[in-house]
Amino acid sequence: MRYAQVILPLPLFATFTYAVPDELDADIAVGSRVLVQFGRKKFYTGIVEALTPDPPGNFEIKPILSLLDASPILRYPQLKLWDWIAEYYLCSKGDVFKAAVPSGLKPESESWIMANPDFELPEGRKLKEKEAMVLMLLEKEKKLRLSILEERLGIKRGSALISRMLDTGMLEIAESLSTRYRPKTVACVRLSIPRDNTEAMHAVLDSVGRARQQEKALMAYLDLSRWMQRQQKVAEVTREALLEKSGVSGAVLNAMRDKGIFEFYKVSVNRFNMPVDTVVRLSPLSPLQTGALDAVRASWTDHNVTLLRGVTGSGKTEIYTHLINTTLEQGNQALLLVPEISLTTQLTDRLRAVFGNRLLVYHSRFSDNERVDIWKKLLGSNEPCVVIGARSALFLPFARLGLVVVDEEHDTSYKQTDPAPRYNGRDAAIVLAGMHGCKTLLGSATPSIESYYKALSGKYGLVEIESRFEDSPLPDVEIVDMKAQRKERLNRGILSRPLVEAAREALEQKRQVIMFQNRRGFAPVVVCKACGWTPKCQNCDVSLVYHKPTDSLHCHYCGFSQRQPSVCPACGENAVEVFGYGTQRIEEEIAASFPEATTARMDLDTTRNKDAYHDIITDFSDSKTDILVGTQMVSKGLDFGKVKVVGVLNADTVLNYPDFRSNEKGFNMLEQVAGRAGRRSEKGRVVIQTTNPSNPVLEYVRRHDYRAYYEAEIEARRELNYPPFSKLIMVYVKNKDQAVVDAAGALLAAALRDVFGARVLGPERPFVSRVATYYLQQIMLKIEVGASLPKVKAILRRIYESLARDPRIKTSLLYYDVDPS
């Protein structure tokens, strides 16, 4: 008998051993998806990591219940990537499994409540009223989830009642597997007679001889199915295709089914079928782009990773396209990562025109069914294709990966923050490419400090484009002092006079305007002017944000919401007012200031489904919208030809965040959003509003001087020993009791300091010290760049185990964030 080491989608630092039944032994393999029992009554989908003939220790081994697929759903490089992510980012393989595989491929058991048919009420015991209600409902419904029971019976805290009934044996738990995946099916039609039965065929023809519509349907079917072409296999004919070709109604087909001529059946189809004979339409490159393309290819002779730094509007996407086309011509697959789902919309349209249906799109806004179909498409095919997607796309089962491109490589959206694995999609993509033996191209107008440092030091190749496509000029940048504007009463609300005048001039010229404010909602501050009351989230240490469309207050951390009070709940006065500007309020103010213009807003609230991105971006591209108001979504890689003016309404919120990367994030975001202006031959204009015009970052943005900004920032990092001169690991402790988490943080920091000494900073409360009812403490660990992370991980694990019995640690949640963004 063989034994399987199985990874379960649970945050546990171990694999689990199961016995392989004899009937599964011939088909099971590493990467196979299996159904196993975990605990007494839970069932999970697991992935086989290893097979061995050696039995484990002296304990009971449960058997694998079933093999869910005829062949493995993971390829070897995927499991290697899982190992690397778990090791590097200090998390479990179960965490990686949960993030990597679509939910539709991870069926889990769900608890159902049902009456115990063998239960007999003890003599002298009478059912209580609520017990009788539960049993009567279950007698009718057979089984129900606990939440449905409570809802149907109007019982609050029904779990206590159900628990008592379970203990007495009146009820029992029934486990049933649920899977979210539903294959796409199409209705098909076929003849109900054997193909080689000539007599039966004559009988069918005679039966429709006097029914003109049925005869048309039969002739159409024979043509579509190639029935009469004996040398070819009978083709499947969909009901839709048959109706279209024959021109008959569905009732005619139903009548033919009833006469026994046709049979109806359903066939599972993949949602993403890719014809190979796609016509490729590549755009010609400019001399600068051609030179950059040649330089990238030359760089790859000496480096596996090359950084392409090209100013905004320099045409990096066209270079990606030519490199991807070469990869496909070689019979390989390509992966193009983008940081935001919004970018896939415009890029998809551009790349679809080039690669047709060889382009696949993969991100979290797709349904489980769509993601599972893409997974299965790549798993079952070696056909050349290009996948464009957000960071989760790197987990797909590529068969012949020949190129990885990471667009906007600097973007912090590549970093997963919660839940685990807290990985960086850019860095994981580089490792993935290495495992497949292919090259990586990182692209950005404002590369991350770490990537540019590696490029300058020779670890990465470096190619730079200093001019825009067709020598279009970079936009002029004007810094507006909002303190002076308000003092002289020159601003209208949040809009300064220079920004209003620039926007009006652009609109008169039939050009477009982007207004950037990195804060959604209507107003971030709600306060009672009489007593100073401010609404706080009941779960987090933050104030609630007012959303006008729903007249409600929202927490942007945990999602808690409540109605906006009409009077102050603290003092009873009608003095509750809102202050500050979110994108909702800006949209309203701009509509009032420019009534002749059409305005749209792009933020998390307006883009909650995958089609919303496409609609907003398409309308703006087609000039159906004049002014686009948005958060950082509008700053990243979008290409609009008629945008002449970009307004940054409050640069201070971008620059003043308490983090060692605040200058980097601020410069990148401002330079990127400025790059949306004047992307064709016409020069654009950028107006940045601030209360601190002397901030040196603003001067670098005004001059579009990335190199000067980098030189200043790298020296500051060197002096303070921040990345790239060290590696950071943030250790977080969470607990619902503030006193306990403070004590646990201090205890853990002291133990870490005993081993790592001055490399340990903290503990301290983070900027937001309570999220979703949990209080937080953070400890920063600065490790030398050359240090072995596996050794560091082992030390951290050993320290945790030595403290695990302490109730302050035992009752707290502990996790790590390696390379925090």
Side-chain angles (χ1 to χ4, degrees):
M1 174 174 283
R2 289 199 295 173
Y3 300 88
Q5 297 294 326
V6 177
I7 305 171
L8 297 180
L10 300 170
L12 302 173
F13 287 87
T15 55
F16 298 88
T17 304
Y18 289 86
V20 180
D22 292 340
E23 62 272 19
L24 302 181
D25 191 71
D27 298 318
I28 198 166
V30 172
S32 290
R33 196 167 58 116
V34 295
L35 179 64
V36 296
Q37 182 180 356
F38 186 75
R40 293 182 61 189
K41 292 188 175 181
K42 287 290 183 182
F43 299 87
Y44 288 98
T45 296
I47 297 293
V48 176
E49 183 187 47
L51 292 163
T52 176
D54 301 322
N58 188 23
F59 53 87
E60 181 185 358
I61 302 298
K62 295 176 182 176
I64 291 173
L65 299 178
S66 65
L67 185 62
L68 298 179
D69 307 281
S71 59
I73 70 158
L74 293 183
R75 301 183 190 275
Y76 177 66
Q78 289 176 280
L79 284 172
K80 283 181 62 181
L81 182 66
W82 288 18
D83 287 341
W84 180 82
I85 289 176
E87 191 72 32
Y88 186 84
Y89 292 103
L90 307 179
C91 63
S92 72
K93 293 178 187 176
D95 289 324
V96 185
F97 175 18
K98 196 165 187 177
V101 178
S103 298
L105 292 176
K106 299 193 298 282
E108 298 179 4
S109 62
E110 293 184 352
S111 295
W112 296 75
I113 310 297
M114 62 183 297
N116 182 0
D118 300 322
F119 176 74
E120 292 182 5
L121 197 65
E123 188 175 347
R125 166 81 153 86
K126 293 184 178 180
L127 288 174
K128 297 178 181 178
E129 180 182 359
K130 290 183 178 179
E131 291 175 341
M133 291 168 59
V134 170
L135 291 175
M136 288 174 62
L137 182 58
L138 288 173
E139 182 179 2
K140 177 183 177 183
E141 299 290 348
K142 304 304 181 187
K143 63 180 180 180
L144 288 171
R145 292 193 184 96
L146 174 60
S147 58
I148 303 299
L149 266 173
E150 293 174 336
E151 180 183 337
R152 293 277 189 91
L153 299 176
I155 300 174
K156 293 183 178 180
R157 295 181 294 277
S159 56
L161 169 65
I162 299 303
S163 179
R164 289 195 299 270
M165 295 180 72
L166 287 166
D167 290 340
T168 60
M170 294 183 196
L171 304 179
E172 61 184 15
I173 297 289
E175 295 291 339
S176 68
L177 282 172
S178 69
T179 178
R180 298 176 178 87
Y181 175 63
R182 296 291 182 272
K184 181 181 179 181
T185 60
V186 295
C188 292
V189 180
R190 63 187 169 208
L191 275 177
S192 58
I193 61 172
R195 192 181 193 184
D196 56 359
N197 192 329
T198 306
E199 291 183 6
M201 188 69 216
H202 283 302
V204 168
L205 291 170
D206 290 342
S207 69
V208 299
R210 295 183 180 181
R212 178 62 180 158
Q213 293 296 303
Q214 292 184 15
E215 185 180 41
K216 287 173 61 178
L218 178 61
M219 292 300 107
Y221 172 81
L222 294 175
D223 184 25
L224 290 171
S225 66
R226 302 192 294 267
W227 182 277
M228 307 305 292
Q229 302 171 31
R230 298 303 175 96
Q231 73 277 11
Q232 296 191 40
K233 183 180 178 182
V234 176
E236 284 185 321
V237 177
T238 66
R239 179 185 173 91
E240 181 182 5
L242 182 56
L243 289 173
E244 182 179 351
K245 184 171 182 63
S246 64
V248 304
S249 67
V252 173
L253 299 186
N254 292 339
M256 297 177 73
R257 177 195 59 189
D258 296 340
K259 289 172 67 173
I261 299 173
F262 281 150
E263 293 177 353
F264 293 171
Y265 64 104
K266 289 188 175 181
V267 174
S268 295
V269 297
N270 197 289
R271 290 172 172 83
F272 304 92
N273 291 313
M274 301 183 299
V276 180
D277 56 346
T278 305
V279 177
V280 176
R281 300 180 179 86
L282 288 172
S283 300
L285 298 180
S286 69
L288 267 180
Q289 289 173 317
T290 301
L293 178 64
D294 293 340
V296 167
R297 288 171 171 157
S299 172
W300 279 338
T301 61
D302 300 317
H303 302 88
N304 291 324
V305 182
T306 293
L307 174 64
L308 174 62
R309 186 183 79 83
V311 297
T312 56
S314 58
K316 295 183 292 294
T317 302
E318 293 303 327
I319 295 174
Y320 303 159
T321 303
H322 281 254
L323 290 169
I324 290 169
N325 184 60
T326 300
T327 301
L328 300 186
E329 288 178 343
Q330 294 168 348
N332 294 324
Q333 298 164 336
L335 172 62
L336 172 56
L337 287 184
V338 294
E340 288 275 3
I341 295 170
S342 59
L343 289 186
T344 64
T345 299
Q346 198 173 50
L347 269 177
T348 297
D349 292 341
R350 293 173 66 178
L351 295 180
R352 184 79 72 193
V354 178
F355 300 115
N357 286 332
R358 288 192 295 178
L359 176 72
L360 296 178
V361 185
Y362 189 87
H363 55 65
S364 60
R365 291 294 173 91
F366 275 14
S367 68
D368 280 326
N369 293 342
E370 291 170 317
R371 280 182 283 167
V372 169
D373 272 348
I374 294 176
W375 187 285
K376 290 187 172 182
K377 179 66 184 179
L378 287 170
L379 190 65
S381 170
N382 293 339
E383 295 175 3
C385 66
V386 53
V387 176
I388 178 174
R391 59 176 181 259
S392 59
L394 62 89
F395 292 115
L396 286 167
F398 295 99
R400 300 185 61 180
L401 189 60
L403 173 66
V404 174
V405 178
V406 184
D407 191 27
E408 309 293 354
E409 67 83 30
H410 67 276
D411 201 287
T412 56
S413 297
Y414 281 120
K415 174 68 173 177
Q416 163 100 353
T417 52
D418 275 311
R422 296 171 178 85
Y423 69 101
N424 188 304
R426 174 199 63 207
D427 298 339
I430 293 172
V431 173
L432 174 70
M435 291 175 175
H436 281 270
C438 66
K439 304 297 184 180
T440 303
L441 180 66
L442 309 179
S444 177
T446 56
S448 66
I449 293 295
E450 287 92 332
S451 293
Y452 201 62
Y453 176 80
K454 290 175 182 177
L456 291 179
S457 61
K459 184 174 183 179
Y460 295 168
L462 177 62
V463 177
E464 299 187 89
I465 308 175
E466 299 289 357
S467 301
R468 281 185 157 184
F469 182 69
E470 294 183 343
D471 288 325
S472 296
L474 288 166
D476 291 330
V477 178
E478 178 180 356
I479 311 298
V480 176
D481 185 350
M482 291 303 288
K483 285 183 179 179
Q485 286 278 307
R486 290 168 189 147
K487 186 176 182 180
E488 299 175 21
R489 298 184 179 181
L490 297 176
N491 64 303
R492 181 184 300 174
I494 196 173
L495 304 177
S496 64
R497 177 175 289 182
L499 179 54
V500 171
E501 292 174 350
R504 182 160 288 124
E505 179 183 344
L507 294 173
E508 289 173 353
Q509 297 172 358
K510 304 300 181 184
R511 297 296 183 264
Q512 293 172 299
V513 178
I514 289 178
M515 298 290 189
F516 168 70
Q517 172 75 331
N518 202 30
R519 178 170 282 163
R520 64 187 177 96
F522 186 83
V525 179
V526 180
V527 66
C528 174
K529 295 186 71 174
C531 70
W533 170 84
T534 297
K536 297 278 188 180
C537 175
Q538 66 179 19
N539 303 318
C540 308
D541 184 25
V542 294
S543 299
L544 297 176
V545 177
Y546 178 59
H547 286 239
K548 189 173 183 179
T550 56
D551 193 32
S552 56
L553 302 169
H554 291 259
C555 173
H556 290 174
Y557 281 82
C558 73
F560 169 78
S561 65
Q562 67 182 44
R563 298 292 296 176
Q564 165 80 333
S566 54
V567 297
C568 176
C571 67
E573 292 294 322
N574 184 17
V576 178
E577 295 189 8
V578 299
F579 299 92
Y581 287 84
T583 50
Q584 291 176 1
R585 188 172 190 178
I586 290 166
E587 181 185 27
E588 188 176 282
E589 186 165 308
I590 285 174
S593 300
F594 304 97
E596 73 284 0
T598 304
T599 305
R601 173 166 52 91
M602 190 165 77
D603 57 25
L604 186 61
D605 299 313
T606 61
T607 57
R608 292 193 180 275
N609 64 70
K610 64 180 181 182
D611 295 328
Y613 286 107
H614 183 271
D615 294 343
I616 294 171
I617 290 172
T618 300
D619 285 349
F620 196 63
S621 295
D622 294 343
S623 298
K624 295 178 181 178
T625 305
D626 301 311
I627 302 176
L628 180 62
V629 179
T631 56
Q632 59 180 334
M633 292 180 183
V634 303
S635 71
K636 301 176 182 180
L638 297 173
D639 184 23
F640 302 114
K642 292 187 177 181
V643 174
K644 185 173 182 179
V645 172
V646 168
V648 178
L649 302 181
N650 188 354
D652 302 335
T653 60
V654 177
L655 294 168
N656 295 337
Y657 196 79
D659 181 75
F660 80 93
R661 296 188 192 272
S662 61
N663 282 350
E664 179 179 7
K665 292 176 181 177
F667 177 85
N668 290 349
M669 194 171 293
L670 293 175
E671 183 66 15
Q672 289 286 339
V673 75
R676 301 315 107 201
R679 293 176 70 89
R680 299 297 182 266
S681 58
E682 190 175 32
K683 193 167 191 176
R685 183 178 177 188
V686 181
V687 179
I688 299 179
Q689 301 180 166
T690 177
T691 59
N692 183 21
S694 61
N695 189 313
V697 172
L698 295 176
E699 179 60 22
Y700 298 134
V701 174
R702 190 186 67 79
R703 302 198 316 256
H704 303 289
D705 195 345
Y706 172 83
R707 192 61 182 262
Y709 146 75
Y710 168 81
E711 294 294 348
E713 184 66 17
I714 200 69
E715 285 308 311
R717 299 277 185 95
R718 193 192 309 273
E719 183 177 346
L720 297 173
N721 194 33
Y722 276 115
F725 303 104
S726 66
K727 185 172 289 295
L728 297 188
I729 301 175
M730 301 299 296
V731 184
Y732 288 93
V733 187
K734 297 170 61 174
N735 198 296
K736 293 189 176 183
D737 187 311
Q738 184 170 359
V740 172
V741 79
D742 289 347
L747 180 65
L748 182 60
L752 290 171
R753 201 168 277 113
D754 287 342
V755 177
F756 294 104
R759 300 178 184 89
V760 179
L761 302 176
E764 65 178 6
R765 294 177 182 174
F767 182 65
V768 178
S769 61
R770 182 172 178 255
V771 177
T773 74
Y774 282 92
Y775 292 94
L776 299 172
Q777 280 282 340
Q778 68 179 18
I779 302 166
M780 180 185 288
L781 187 58
K782 282 186 178 180
I783 301 294
E784 291 81 356
V785 173
S788 168
L789 262 191
K791 290 182 179 179
V792 172
K793 180 180 181 180
I795 293 171
L796 292 174
R797 188 68 188 171
R798 190 167 65 246
I799 291 173
Y800 171 74
E801 290 173 351
S802 70
L803 301 175
R805 292 187 178 181
D806 189 295
R808 294 166 292 183
I809 297 294
K810 188 175 182 179
T811 59
S812 299
L813 298 173
L814 183 72
Y815 64 90
Y816 308 96
D817 188 4
V818 180
D819 299 337
S821 61

